[in-house]
Amino acid sequence: MDKTRPAPRKIIIAIDGPAGSGKSTLASLLARKYNYTNIETGAMYRALALKALEAGISLDDEAALSNLARNSRIELQARPEGNRVLLDGKDITGRIREQDVTDAASKISVHPAVREWMVHSQRAMGAGGGVVMEGRDIGTKVFPHAEVKIFLDAAPEVRSNRRFLQNPVVATPEQSVLEELRKRDLRDRTRANSPLVPAADAIVIDSTNLNLEQVFNRTVEIIESVVHSVSHQTTR
């Protein structure tokens, strides 16, 4: 009789939170630990924003942006050092991290039609489980039935400082980074479609006074508890 224990069922891990909270870094670490696919939703918005900038499309033109999205192919290829991002077959991994694309991504993300296209694409990517997905509406909109929902937050001053230190060579005053982050918070939290709020059943982790290792360990504890519970249910 084969007493080999079945492999744990692959789950969906949703990580939401405001800009600069550390979602991308945490998602990348978790994906490596569990050998899951890291679906970096921010990279998807950045890719579309870059295409809009290059095409000269107004970031306020929802209809044109929606049409652009429907005619775009965005791929995320997992690599040990992080996702490789392809737009219509072209590698744009480095370009989408530049400030103009970052700002544009925030502006196009407020449009309901754009978000609906993104949600459809993201659901298709994560339908089979075994994914870590980070963004701003994953636990509330994209995967409301995700087994693990984390809302990662921190004080605005702490988040802006982290952003500033990420790009010390860029000649942007730290105060300007904080002001832009506050504006982005306001856009994200007050938009009509899928505003940034914790899901009712999300576990909120405030990282204001925590380092990355502490946040990672706390999240792993939460995931392990859920995986143990799911495995127990399937073997009963």
Side-chain angles (χ1 to χ4, degrees):
M1 182 177 179
D2 185 7
K3 295 183 179 181
T4 303
R5 297 179 63 181
R9 180 168 67 84
K10 291 189 173 183
I11 62 173
I12 295 173
I13 302 169
I15 304 174
D16 290 307
S21 59
K23 303 184 302 295
S24 297
T25 302
L26 178 60
S28 177
L29 291 173
L30 292 172
R32 285 184 222 169
K33 176 175 176 59
Y34 292 102
N35 196 27
Y36 276 18
T37 300
N38 176 16
I39 301 180
E40 189 185 359
T41 60
M44 297 175 68
Y45 281 102
R46 289 166 186 259
L48 182 62
L50 174 60
K51 189 168 183 176
L53 290 174
E54 291 179 340
I57 294 175
S58 169
L59 304 179
D60 297 320
D61 191 337
E62 182 176 1
L65 291 169
S66 177
N67 183 63
L68 189 70
R70 289 194 297 271
N71 291 283
S72 300
R73 180 165 54 91
I74 300 171
E75 300 170 80
L76 302 177
Q77 296 181 348
R79 298 182 303 178
E81 65 273 23
N83 285 331
R84 180 169 179 251
V85 185
L86 302 180
L87 174 63
D88 299 329
K90 179 183 177 182
D91 189 338
I92 57 169
T93 306
R95 178 67 178 94
I96 62 170
R97 304 300 174 186
E98 296 177 15
Q99 193 61 46
D100 62 331
V101 179
T102 296
D103 294 342
S106 175
K107 292 173 182 176
I108 70 166
S109 70
V110 302
H111 298 300
V114 172
R115 298 196 70 82
E116 286 302 320
W117 182 84
M118 288 289 180
V119 167
H120 177 78
S121 300
Q122 291 156 11
R123 283 176 177 162
M125 288 181 179
V131 297
V132 183
M133 189 176 290
E134 55 84 11
R136 287 169 176 75
D137 60 356
I138 309 306
T140 55
K141 176 74 173 180
V142 183
F143 283 110
H145 302 300
E147 291 87 346
V148 173
K149 298 180 187 177
I150 302 293
F151 191 90
L152 187 60
D153 205 352
E157 294 78 8
V158 172
R159 291 187 281 119
S160 68
N161 179 254
R162 291 171 182 167
R163 275 291 170 90
F164 179 74
L165 294 176
Q166 280 178 350
N167 246 329
V169 298
V170 178
T172 303
E174 187 170 357
Q175 184 61 34
S176 298
V177 176
L178 175 59
E179 290 172 0
E180 180 55 39
L181 185 141
R182 289 187 186 279
K183 291 178 183 177
R184 184 167 184 177
D185 281 354
L186 182 63
R187 286 196 297 267
D188 288 341
R189 295 180 191 275
T190 60
R191 64 182 177 229
N193 186 272
S194 299
L196 173 64
V197 293
D201 54 347
I203 297 176
V204 178
I205 298 178
D206 188 329
S207 68
T208 300
N209 298 308
L210 301 176
N211 59 34
L212 177 59
E213 183 179 5
Q214 290 171 317
V215 172
F216 176 74
N217 289 339
R218 173 65 181 128
T219 306
V220 168
E221 287 176 3
I222 295 167
I223 294 170
E224 294 295 337
S225 175
V226 170
V227 170
H228 176 76
S229 176
V230 169
S231 299
H232 181 68
Q233 292 173 8
T234 58
T235 55
R236 290 178 60 180

